[in-house]
Amino acid sequence: MVSHSGLLTVMERAARKAAPRLRRDFGEVQNLQVSRKGPADFVSMADKRCEDTLVEELKKARPDWGFLLEEGGEIKGNPDKPRWIIDPLDGTTNFLHGIPHFAISIAVEEPRPGGRPEVTSGIVYQPITDESFWAEKGRGAWVQSQRLRVSSRRELPDALIATGIPFLGHGDFAQWSRIFGAVAPEVAGIRRFGSAALDLAWVAAGRFDAFWESDLKPWDVAAGVLLVREAGGFVTDFRGGDRAMERNEFLAANDVLHSKLHKLVAGALR
Ligand code: 2AM
Ligand code: CA
């Protein structure tokens, strides 16, 4: 058993404050599926409303911190203080189609004088299952009060792997196809569930053995990457280097599978 820090309590409280409305809106989306215009505008409003609630709650607790928001962009705060990185609804396409697989992601990024800022706390909250995946740097990854560890599977034929597939002109189809072509024949299965934040949380929880995706945004991955690392996993770029954020390539797994996968992926991209 472990208890959160005060900061994590603030983050979880904000997510839980925004969640009931999101759940209600999700119920409404299911009714709107049949309307001619569909629920697209309604979903953008639900997304924005959720973000507004999160910002309001977090501002109350840390008035001088800035924000990086999926919907609202950047809100400057005191540059010497941390900032919040928020995705109010990761898995929007699922939400829009009435598929109950989406999450709120909140991360804290701390400035490092003379260096890259660093994510030190993160939460991925799934409003439908009421699961709260959280991590703090140096204090491990958890779901509610249960410690998370990445899976201990070591063999590719046992590994279930999550990915994100390029869509609607976004992303590099040729690159994704090459990686898929190299990985899929070697592993137990590939899944595309549509929320990068939950994919990473599920790698941390050992549900998925690995994850790869490129062309993500900081708010999709800020909390999830910390979760995987604090659960004992590796997150790198596709060449196995430590520039996942800069190259916008994410390969996450336990140490053994990570080294096997990164060889396959690097081979495919040669
Ligand atoms: P979003 O749900 O917040 O938009 C999955 O591939 C990741 O890509 C998700 O984290 C998702 O974040 C993002 N994404 C953005 N637009 C997408 C789309 N049209 N289809 C699938 N994923 C999308
Ligand atoms: Ca997102």
Side-chain angles (χ1 to χ4, degrees):
M1 233 345 226
V2 74
S3 55
H4 299 144
S5 68
L7 182 57
L8 229 301
T9 304
V10 163
M11 293 156 74
E12 178 154 1
R13 197 183 302 139
R16 286 184 184 280
K17 179 100 186 225
R21 182 64 192 251
L22 208 53
R23 278 192 290 265
R24 244 182 300 141
D25 288 344
F26 181 67
E28 189 57 29
V29 162
Q30 291 167 308
N31 301 330
L32 291 171
Q33 294 299 348
V34 291
S35 71
R36 200 155 54 84
K37 210 161 128 267
D41 293 345
F42 178 79
V43 170
S44 333
M45 276 174 50
D47 201 349
K48 185 73 176 73
R49 227 172 359 235
C50 181
E51 187 172 282
D52 291 346
T53 305
L54 296 171
V55 169
E56 194 182 299
E57 288 302 304
L58 295 171
K59 240 192 199 139
K60 266 192 240 161
R62 299 288 186 278
D64 53 350
W65 290 17
F67 290 85
L68 180 63
L69 302 163
E70 176 171 26
E71 299 304 315
E74 205 179 339
I75 302 175
K76 292 248 184 273
N78 181 339
D80 299 326
K81 291 289 173 67
R83 67 171 180 170
W84 305 103
I85 301 181
I86 297 181
D87 191 339
L89 176 54
D90 189 56
T92 317
T93 308
N94 286 339
F95 190 98
L96 180 68
H97 287 258
I99 297 171
H101 189 77
F102 52 86
I104 294 169
S105 173
I106 306 172
V108 172
E109 183 190 66
E110 291 191 26
R112 289 272 174 269
R116 290 190 266 189
E118 188 181 17
V119 173
T120 51
S121 307
I123 180 169
V124 175
Y125 178 69
Q126 216 297 19
I128 301 295
T129 58
D130 193 38
E131 284 174 307
S132 167
F133 299 91
W134 58 275
E136 292 183 277
K137 186 147 202 260
R139 298 192 66 217
W142 306 78
V143 61
Q144 338 289 41
S145 59
Q146 187 188 329
R147 185 85 191 242
L148 296 179
R149 291 293 303 170
V150 290
S151 98
S152 53
R153 291 191 189 86
R154 306 165 69 85
E155 305 300 333
L156 290 171
D158 298 327
L160 184 63
I161 306 207
T163 185
I165 306 177
F167 54 88
L168 254 184
H170 292 269
D172 183 337
F173 288 84
Q175 186 196 58
W176 184 88
S177 305
R178 282 203 299 277
I179 297 173
F180 177 77
V183 172
E186 308 288 335
V187 300
I190 307 275
R191 297 289 183 272
R192 199 286 194 245
F193 281 6
S195 160
L198 280 172
D199 289 343
L200 287 162
W202 284 20
V203 171
R207 296 176 186 176
F208 289 136
D209 299 297
F211 165 75
W212 94 86
E213 186 164 358
S214 56
D215 283 295
L216 290 162
K217 294 284 195 276
W219 43 81
D220 300 323
V221 293
V225 167
L226 182 66
L227 273 158
V228 172
R229 290 187 172 144
E230 286 296 320
F234 282 39
V235 183
T236 68
D237 57 57
F238 290 164
R239 265 86 182 169
D242 66 352
R243 298 168 36 117
M245 279 295 183
E246 291 85 340
R247 300 183 63 97
N248 206 344
E249 299 171 347
F250 299 86
L251 176 63
N254 69 38
D255 54 348
V256 176
L257 285 178
H258 186 277
S259 93
K260 294 180 176 176
L261 283 166
H262 116 244
K263 281 187 198 116
L264 280 181
V265 170
L269 298 182
R270 242 199 302 275

